Amino acid sequence: QPLIDRVQTFINKIFLRERFDHLSALVEMNENAGDISDLRSLADATVQIVRRAMQSDWTSMALPDPSGTRLIVIADTRDGVPVVALPRNGAVASWFADHGKSLDLRIVESDPLLQAMSDQEKRSLSRLDAELLVPMIAEDTLTGILILGPRLIGGGSPADSLSFLATAADRMAVTVENARLYAEAQREADERAVIAEIGRVISASLDTELVYPAFVEQVKRLVPFDRIMITALDEERDALSPAYVGGTPISGWHRGSIHPVDGSDLEAVVRDRESLLLGASQVRNLFRYDTGESTNQPRITAAMSVPLVSDDEVIGVIDLATTGPLVYTGRDQDLLSRIGAQIAGALANARLYAQ
């Protein structure tokens, strides 16, 4: 009997210690959640807390990328963070939507839904080399995933541990959503401030030689780019002519060059006031984005164009392009349209000033 009692006491200590660690971890997470201004630092702290509480070999966290279409690992307790991206509309996300609980990756080969995942998603899971994925869901939206490696003590995850992970993931999901809303509000405030500054810059002078450089500096605060071009429409020639070009040089498109509207990829922008949002495959064969074979310039990988409208007439086009991994979004396009509304007035005034 004494031996049995000692064994039971030992088991109770382990069990109670684990519950104490879980409760302590949740308290620490609550304390950290007060600062949502730095989501990356918060994620780094959270994965360390969860790893200690779960006694796992490692823990990581995946959160939405800027496009909102993928979940990428932004925090990992290991030294080398794997480059992994899971689609938010992929098989894993669908499994979470159906089951609403942690995913033990040992069932991947036997679960019909997971068996149908794309090869790219399979490769991402393989690179993770994880044992357990825990969904972070706020208002029925998958905001992230807690990812755990093998436990250092014992195997698998008992019910109490899964309950702790579910609670931790739920709390972090709410924190991530609050951080997103905070960042959105901050971004909108910054955008309003910059657009107001653009208005001030434009109204400061009728001389576009002075206006354009200051204008471009402000634009780059809102939308990153490696090349910017503002073209004016010559109605008599029915052609576009660059009034300002900055950044990566483009073959044939320089200040003063003439480019007929008819048959060009900007025809729809001028005629129908359509905005263009172009990815790498779309810009690759467009002469307007040809940096030339002999210039040693990086290739344009994404671009967007919006019409410049004044007094209900298209008077030009503003065009941004990048040579990096950036992908422009509809939000960027809307923002460029707001910026374009500002510079259109300056372009129209410059015409009058020149006359």
Side-chain angles (χ1 to χ4, degrees):
Q1 185 66 38
L3 178 59
I4 295 175
D5 290 341
R6 286 198 298 270
V7 171
Q8 186 63 53
T9 300
F10 177 73
I11 292 173
N12 289 342
K13 284 183 178 179
I14 294 177
F15 175 73
L16 293 174
R17 180 65 189 181
E18 188 171 75
R19 292 196 65 184
F20 176 79
D21 288 344
H22 292 170
L23 291 173
S24 298
L26 293 175
V27 169
E28 189 174 356
M29 286 181 63
N30 283 343
E31 292 172 351
N32 291 341
D35 182 9
I36 57 175
S37 61
D38 187 351
L39 189 55
R40 185 173 290 273
S41 295
L42 185 58
D44 285 335
T46 299
V47 295
Q48 293 290 354
I49 293 170
V50 172
R51 184 193 65 79
R52 290 195 300 269
M54 286 294 297
Q55 301 183 63
S56 61
D57 185 25
W58 58 268
T59 301
S60 63
M61 185 185 298
L63 295 178
D65 69 355
S67 72
T69 61
R70 305 179 304 166
L71 296 171
I72 58 174
V73 174
I74 70 160
D76 197 302
T77 58
R78 294 170 291 184
D79 291 334
V81 180
V83 180
V84 173
L86 294 172
R88 291 182 83 177
N89 61 350
V92 170
S94 297
W95 194 94
F96 285 145
D98 286 350
H99 296 83
K101 64 178 183 179
S102 299
L103 169 59
D104 187 330
L105 290 176
R106 290 175 298 183
I107 72 166
V108 168
E109 296 302 324
S110 60
D111 187 280
L113 179 57
L114 297 175
Q115 285 180 333
M117 76 173 63
S118 67
D119 290 339
Q120 182 176 358
E121 193 168 5
K122 287 179 181 177
R123 287 193 295 271
S124 293
L125 287 180
S126 178
R127 283 196 296 272
L128 276 176
D129 194 26
E131 285 197 354
L132 193 67
L133 305 184
V134 188
M136 295 161 45
I137 299 174
E139 297 182 355
D140 297 324
T141 299
L142 182 66
T143 65
I145 302 176
L146 275 176
I147 307 164
L148 282 83
R151 299 193 75 191
L152 297 175
I153 298 178
S157 298
D160 280 340
S161 294
L162 291 176
S163 177
F164 157 72
L165 286 172
T167 302
D170 286 346
R171 293 188 182 183
M172 191 60 191
V174 173
T175 301
V176 169
E177 180 62 12
N178 289 339
R180 185 192 68 79
L181 294 173
Y182 172 83
E184 183 69 20
Q186 188 65 46
R187 183 164 51 245
E188 289 177 356
D190 292 343
E191 288 173 0
R192 288 193 296 270
V194 173
I195 288 177
E197 178 62 17
I198 288 175
R200 188 197 66 78
V201 166
I202 289 172
S203 62
S205 174
L206 291 174
D207 186 354
T208 55
E209 296 295 326
L210 299 175
V211 168
Y212 284 143
F215 166 76
V216 168
E217 285 186 19
Q218 296 302 318
V219 173
K220 202 155 195 174
R221 290 176 60 188
L222 293 180
V223 186
F225 61 85
D226 297 299
R227 176 180 178 272
I228 183 171
M229 181 171 68
I230 301 169
T231 56
L233 177 63
D234 185 329
E235 293 180 348
E236 291 184 2
R237 296 184 181 184
D238 193 29
L240 290 166
S241 178
Y244 180 88
V245 179
T248 303
I250 300 295
S251 300
W253 287 83
H254 52 81
R255 188 171 176 180
S257 60
I258 303 298
H259 305 272
V261 173
D262 282 345
S264 73
D265 56 296
L266 288 174
E267 183 174 8
V269 180
V270 175
R271 305 280 191 241
D272 305 323
R273 303 186 186 185
E274 292 183 4
S275 297
L276 296 181
L277 193 61
L278 307 173
S281 61
Q282 295 164 302
V283 302
R284 188 173 296 121
N285 297 319
L286 293 180
F287 177 72
R288 185 161 57 95
Y289 299 109
D290 184 7
T291 55
E293 295 293 341
S294 60
T295 61
N296 294 320
Q297 293 286 344
R299 288 301 208 186
I300 299 298
T301 55
M304 57 180 171
S305 307
V306 302
L308 301 178
V309 180
S310 178
D311 292 332
D312 204 34
E313 295 289 337
V314 175
I315 62 171
V317 176
I318 183 170
D319 183 274
L320 299 185
T322 179
T323 59
L326 176 71
V327 176
Y328 289 127
T329 65
R331 190 178 187 283
D332 295 321
Q333 193 174 32
D334 291 341
L335 192 55
L336 186 59
S337 294
R338 292 168 61 192
I339 293 169
Q342 297 269 26
I343 198 62
L347 194 60
N349 290 338
R351 283 181 172 182
L352 296 174
Y353 179 70
Q355 294 171 359

